């Protein structure tokens, strides 16, 4: 009968210790963190300043009413072509006199009586002036006869002639005073003219013609109505001179140079359009954003850099998205912007290195919303952790997320 081998107590204790240690090791060991990875690549990179823009005709001419009166219905429609000095834009009839209330009518009637009396007084002054002139004529004749016979000095004739001239001038003044009084009376009497009588008499219609050749952009006042001088009637412009204006933050506008290329997107076409900055206006203005924040903004004006056939469907006041290029490189080492975070005063990323996260500080150049140019700290092909969370730290085991 073969002998039995018994397991000693020391062996059993050792096995128990090993089992407990293995359980603690596997229990405390953390599983790898699933992350999204991006790749450091090399290729073209553009940095742009993006904002909303609006198209506009470069020179818009607003035709206004030259006189007060009744505007007849405007026959033009938006899109109609007009010729300078030929196309009739609007017709205006002279305004009718205002209706007088009872108080104003009594005032006008009192003014009529007053000016009628003034006219009568001026008329009687003519009779007086003519009588004085006739007397001066007779005295001048007597003085001349006495001078010819030697009974009067030459000075007496001169004084008689002067008196005659004064009397003649007084007659002329009296006649002018009568004319003035008659005109003043007619001015006040015109206030009592009935509107119906004026309309029946009919007035000359003022014809307003197009000041320039172009296209009607907008008819401001179409229906017949009473207008005052200076009222806007029609906007005229040349759609071929369409430009784009966008108001950018002043801090962004200082980075833009005239001649900088730009990309026009979300304008309604399938392909983006190309434009070029023509002007950064030197005058800024305050604008309140949708969130109620006061912002200092500057207008940036751009011209299309493509044939008009590409953007012919755009018109005055259309909305677009403008992306002005401030920096570009055809071959830049770049890292996804989502992998970047601040480590003190430096930029840093987590690089996937043999299944673990390795902290790498990087030096960056120009940055766009999607990518940043890398000057040092990374190499082409490096895998970086995108949007690292609190679970990611140097040395932590990571695995790329598959779903």
């Amino acid at each position: 009968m073969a002998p039995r081998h018994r397991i000693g107590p020391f062996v059993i204790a050792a096995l128990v210790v090993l089992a407990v240690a293995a359980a603690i090791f596997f229990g405390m060991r953390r599983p790898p963190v699933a992350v999204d990875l991006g790749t450091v690549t090399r290729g073209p990179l553009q940095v742009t300043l993006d904002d909303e823009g609006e198209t506009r005709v470069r020179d818009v001419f607003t035709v206004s009413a030259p006189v007060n009166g009744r505007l007849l219905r405007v026959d033009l429609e938006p899109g109609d072509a007009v010729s300078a000095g030929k196309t009739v834009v609007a017709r205006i009839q002279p305004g009718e006199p205002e209706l007088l209330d009872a108080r104003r009518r009594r005032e006008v009637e009192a003014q009529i009586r007053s000016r009628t009396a003034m006219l009568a007084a001026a008329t009687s002054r003519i009779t007086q002036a003519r009588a004085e002139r006739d007397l001066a004529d007779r005295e001048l004749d007597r003085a001349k006869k006495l001078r010819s016979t030697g009974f009067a000095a030459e000075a007496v004739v001169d004084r008689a002639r002067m008196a005659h001239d004064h009397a003649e001038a007084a007659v002329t003044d009296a006649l002018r005073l009568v004319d003035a009084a008659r005109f003043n009376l007619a001015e006040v009497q015109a206030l009592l003219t009935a509107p119906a009588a004026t309309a029946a008499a009919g007035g000359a219609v003022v014809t307003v013609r197009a000041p320039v050749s172009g296209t009607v952009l907008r008819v401001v006042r179409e229906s017949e109505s009473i207008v005052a001088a200076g009222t806007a009637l029609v906007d005229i412009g040349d759609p071929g001179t369409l430009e784009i204006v966008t108001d950018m933050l002043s801090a962004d506008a200082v980075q833009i140079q005239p001649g900088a290329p730009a990309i026009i997107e979300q304008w309604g076409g399938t392909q983006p359009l190309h434009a070029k900055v023509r002007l950064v206006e030197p005058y800024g203005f305050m604008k309140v954003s949708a969130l109620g924040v006061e912002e200092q903004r500057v207008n940036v004006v751009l011209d299309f850099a493509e044939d008009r056939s590409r953007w012919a469907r755009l018109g005055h006041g259309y909305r677009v998205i403008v992306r002005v290029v401030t920096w570009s490189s055809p071959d830049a080492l770049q890292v996804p912007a989502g992998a970047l975070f601040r480590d003190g005063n430096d930029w840093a990323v987590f690089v996937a290195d043999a299944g673990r996260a390795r902290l790498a500080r990087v030096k960056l150049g120009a940055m766009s919303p999607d990518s940043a140019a890398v000057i040092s700290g990374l190499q082409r092909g490096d895998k970086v952790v995108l949007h690292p969370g609190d679970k990611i730290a140097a040395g932590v085991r990571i695995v790329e997320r598959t779903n």
Side-chain angles (χ1 to χ4, degrees):
M1 184 174 180
R4 294 182 178 179
H5 298 283
R6 294 183 179 180
I7 299 175
F10 293 103
V11 176
I12 295 175
L15 292 175
V16 171
V17 171
L18 288 175
V20 172
I24 294 174
F25 174 78
F26 287 106
M28 296 183 64
R29 183 181 182 186
R30 295 180 179 178
V33 179
V35 296
D36 295 320
L37 298 180
T39 305
V40 178
T41 60
R42 181 175 289 277
L45 177 62
Q46 285 186 338
V47 178
T48 62
L49 293 174
D50 304 348
D51 212 325
E52 289 188 1
E54 183 178 283
T55 60
R56 69 181 185 187
V57 173
R58 183 174 302 177
D59 296 312
V60 177
F61 295 84
T62 299
V63 182
S64 302
V67 295
N68 299 329
R70 177 178 294 277
L71 171 70
L72 303 182
R73 185 173 179 82
V74 177
D75 297 328
L76 294 175
E77 298 289 342
D80 289 348
V82 296
S83 299
K86 297 181 180 180
T87 305
V88 176
V89 174
R91 293 171 297 153
I92 302 175
Q93 287 183 341
E96 299 175 352
E98 61 178 331
L99 295 175
L100 304 180
D101 56 23
R103 177 180 177 181
R104 177 59 178 159
R105 177 174 289 275
R106 287 194 297 270
E107 291 177 353
V108 172
E109 290 173 348
Q111 291 178 5
I112 291 176
R113 290 191 294 270
S114 172
R115 297 192 183 189
T116 301
M118 292 173 63
L119 177 59
T123 303
S124 63
R125 175 60 182 159
I126 294 178
T127 304
Q128 179 183 354
R130 284 174 176 170
E132 292 176 354
R133 182 192 61 183
D134 293 342
L135 177 61
D137 286 344
R138 290 192 296 270
E139 289 181 349
L140 179 60
D141 290 339
R142 284 194 294 269
K144 288 180 180 180
K145 291 178 181 179
L146 291 174
R147 176 70 181 87
S148 62
T149 58
F151 289 98
E154 187 67 29
V156 174
V157 177
D158 292 340
R159 284 193 292 271
R161 184 177 290 108
M162 181 184 68
H164 173 271
D165 292 342
H166 284 175
E168 190 69 37
V171 172
T172 303
D173 289 343
L175 292 173
R176 290 176 178 173
L177 287 175
V178 170
D179 291 338
R182 184 180 295 111
F183 294 145
N184 289 337
L185 177 60
E187 178 185 4
V188 179
Q189 288 175 335
L191 296 177
L192 294 180
T193 303
T198 303
V205 175
V206 177
T207 301
V208 183
R209 301 184 184 274
V212 295
S213 298
T215 301
V216 176
L217 302 177
R218 182 176 62 141
V219 179
V220 182
R221 301 292 291 267
E222 180 179 8
S223 300
E224 181 174 331
S225 58
I226 300 298
V227 296
T231 302
L233 305 177
V234 176
D235 289 341
I236 299 175
D238 182 6
T241 62
L242 203 66
E243 62 185 11
I244 303 169
V245 60
T246 176
D247 54 337
M248 291 192 169
L249 293 173
S250 58
D252 293 337
V254 296
Q255 306 176 43
I256 301 174
Q257 297 292 332
I263 302 169
I264 310 301
E265 297 179 341
Q266 299 184 31
W267 60 279
T270 57
Q271 297 294 329
L273 299 173
H274 297 282
K276 191 170 291 186
V277 175
R278 175 166 55 86
L279 172 67
V280 179
E281 293 187 354
Y283 188 88
F285 56 91
M286 184 70 71
K287 183 178 180 180
V288 180
S289 69
L291 299 178
V293 179
E294 292 185 346
E295 300 173 338
Q296 199 69 18
R297 290 189 167 263
V298 177
N299 282 336
V300 179
V301 184
L302 305 94
D303 292 328
F304 289 100
E306 299 188 59
D307 188 81
R308 185 183 174 186
S309 59
R310 289 286 315 280
W311 48 269
R313 298 299 299 173
L314 285 174
H316 183 82
Y318 285 36
R319 174 188 175 275
V320 297
I321 297 297
V322 178
R323 300 180 59 193
V324 180
V325 179
T326 58
W327 183 90
S328 64
S329 174
D331 186 28
L333 185 66
Q334 50 192 291
V335 61
L340 298 169
F341 62 90
R342 281 289 188 178
D343 183 26
N345 294 327
D346 300 324
W347 287 104
V349 296
F350 284 116
V351 180
D353 187 1
R356 294 185 179 274
R358 173 172 59 85
L359 180 66
R361 294 181 176 85
V362 295
K363 186 176 181 181
L364 303 177
M367 298 181 64
S368 73
D370 300 323
S371 303
V374 178
I375 298 177
S376 62
L378 294 173
Q379 295 181 353
R380 181 179 181 178
D382 285 347
K383 296 290 186 178
V384 293
V385 178
L386 299 177
H387 310 291
D390 296 338
K391 296 181 179 180
I392 306 299
V396 172
R397 296 173 61 236
I398 57 176
V399 62
E400 185 174 6
R401 185 179 286 111
T402 56
N403 52 0

